């Protein structure tokens, strides 16, 4: 059932420390299910929102896009992740995409990686996962889509040797690695079929060369998908 109706709104029930009147004793309506994430302790909900709100604010103002702001943004990111249990919380997704896009557009991605490799990789993988989830179920993708994801994911193997084991867990890097691999594996058959069907529809099936073209389409589509998997360094 939907969580929101009448006086029960996301703003009333989820923002800040939430509102106990929104939830039932059976758990059908709970903070975790309706607000889209869980928190390690109810008292920390306000801290979680405060850190994310502050991070989004400074990111939008451009503070994270200058070297002097890297350290403070990294601290806000760590503080926000410390109290969030899910990888796909909307505010975390928004913050990661905003930061990743800002750094890539300004040519600062490598500078951030040098300043704080663990945080940079964590934000990059969160953004890559958000892009993949946004693309799932859509027809086709924009030019450069997979390259933008590859630019983010490639930071992980490059900087893995200098990221501590503790940060791999605290910054959700290991969990993001698994999530991205699982997403790619799950979408591979459907994507392959979509590409092949598009190729077949574009061919005149009445020509004598149709079967030769069909075989070439299969091979070409497979080759392109293998290249994509290589670019994002996914095991297949």
């Amino acid at each position: 059932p939907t969580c929101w109706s009448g006086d029960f709104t996301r703003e009333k029930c989820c923002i800040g420390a939430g509102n106990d009147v929104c939830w039932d004793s059976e758990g059908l309506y709970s903070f975790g299910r309706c607000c889209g994430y869980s928190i390690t302790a109810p008292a920390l909900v306000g801290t979680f929102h405060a850190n994310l709100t502050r991070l989004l604010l400074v990111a939008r103002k451009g503070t994270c896009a200058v070297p002097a702001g890297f350290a403070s943004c990294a601290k806000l990111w760590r503080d926000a992740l410390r109290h969030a249990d899910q990888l796909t919380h909307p505010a975390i997704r928004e913050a990661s995409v905003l930061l990743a896009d800002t750094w890539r557009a300004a040519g600062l991605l490598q500078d951030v990686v040098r300043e704080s490799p663990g945080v940079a990789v964590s934000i990059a993988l969160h953004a890559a996962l958000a892009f993949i989830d946004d693309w799932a179920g859509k027809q086709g993708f924009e030019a450069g889509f997979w390259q933008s994801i590859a630019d983010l994911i490639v930071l992980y193997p490059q900087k893995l040797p200098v990221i501590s084991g503790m940060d791999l867990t605290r910054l959700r890097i290991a969990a993001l690695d698994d999530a991205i691999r699982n997403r790619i594996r799950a979408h591979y058959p459907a994507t392959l079929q979509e590409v092949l069907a598009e190729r077949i529809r574009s061919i005149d099936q009445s020509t004598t060369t149709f079967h030769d073209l069909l075989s070439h389409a299969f091979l070409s589509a497979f080759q392109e998908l293998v290249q994509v998997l290589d670019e994002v360094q996914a095991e297949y």
Side-chain angles (χ1 to χ4, degrees):
T2 180
C3 292
W4 314 125
S5 63
D7 293 333
F8 296 102
T9 64
R10 179 177 291 275
E11 290 72 20
K12 174 182 177 180
C13 297
C14 296
I15 300 301
N19 192 325
D20 290 341
V21 75
C22 299
W23 321 124
D24 64 355
S25 58
E26 289 78 22
L28 184 61
Y29 299 101
S30 66
F31 188 94
R33 186 179 82 80
C34 296
C35 297
Y37 60 96
S38 56
I39 300 296
T40 53
L44 297 175
V45 175
T47 302
F48 171 76
H49 278 292
N51 287 327
L52 273 176
T53 300
R54 197 157 41 234
L55 178 62
L56 286 169
L57 178 63
V58 298
R60 289 171 182 150
K61 290 175 65 177
T63 305
C64 300
V66 294
F70 292 167
S72 60
C73 290
K75 184 180 185 304
L76 287 172
W77 180 260
R78 285 180 179 276
D79 290 342
L81 286 190
R82 188 178 300 127
H83 305 308
D85 289 339
Q86 290 191 4
L87 297 175
T88 55
H89 179 269
I92 290 177
R93 284 165 50 95
E94 180 184 355
S96 66
V97 170
L98 175 61
L99 290 170
D101 282 346
T102 298
W103 291 335
R104 289 179 69 245
L108 292 172
L109 198 52
Q110 290 301 326
D111 293 330
V112 180
V113 170
R114 282 191 293 271
E115 174 72 24
S116 184
V119 169
V121 169
S122 174
I123 291 172
L125 293 184
H126 273 92
L129 183 63
F131 291 144
I132 292 172
D133 285 346
D134 286 344
W135 161 77
K138 295 180 180 178
Q139 295 293 321
F141 44 83
E142 297 179 358
F145 173 78
W146 285 109
Q147 185 59 54
S148 65
I149 292 176
D151 290 343
L152 298 172
I153 292 179
V154 74
L155 298 176
Y156 176 41
Q158 286 178 353
K159 297 302 175 182
L160 182 58
V162 299
I163 299 175
S164 69
M166 189 174 294
D167 269 355
L168 289 177
T169 301
R170 288 190 306 191
L171 295 174
R172 317 297 165 86
I173 293 171
L176 288 161
D177 181 14
D178 289 338
I180 290 172
R181 290 175 189 273
N182 290 335
R183 297 291 201 283
I184 292 175
R185 290 190 184 103
H187 294 313
Y188 177 85
T191 303
L192 178 60
Q193 183 62 33
E194 179 185 332
V195 172
L196 293 177
E198 184 178 343
R199 297 276 175 84
I200 292 171
R201 284 194 296 269
S202 66
I203 298 174
D204 182 358
Q205 299 185 26
S206 64
T207 65
T208 57
T209 59
F210 170 69
H211 291 291
D212 291 335
L213 292 171
L214 184 61
S215 296
H216 179 69
F218 270 85
L219 291 174
S220 297
F222 181 75
Q223 182 182 27
E224 289 180 13
L225 284 169
V226 168
Q227 290 173 345
V228 168
L229 294 173
D230 281 338
E231 288 177 359
V232 299
Q233 299 192 6
E235 295 178 2
Y236 58 93

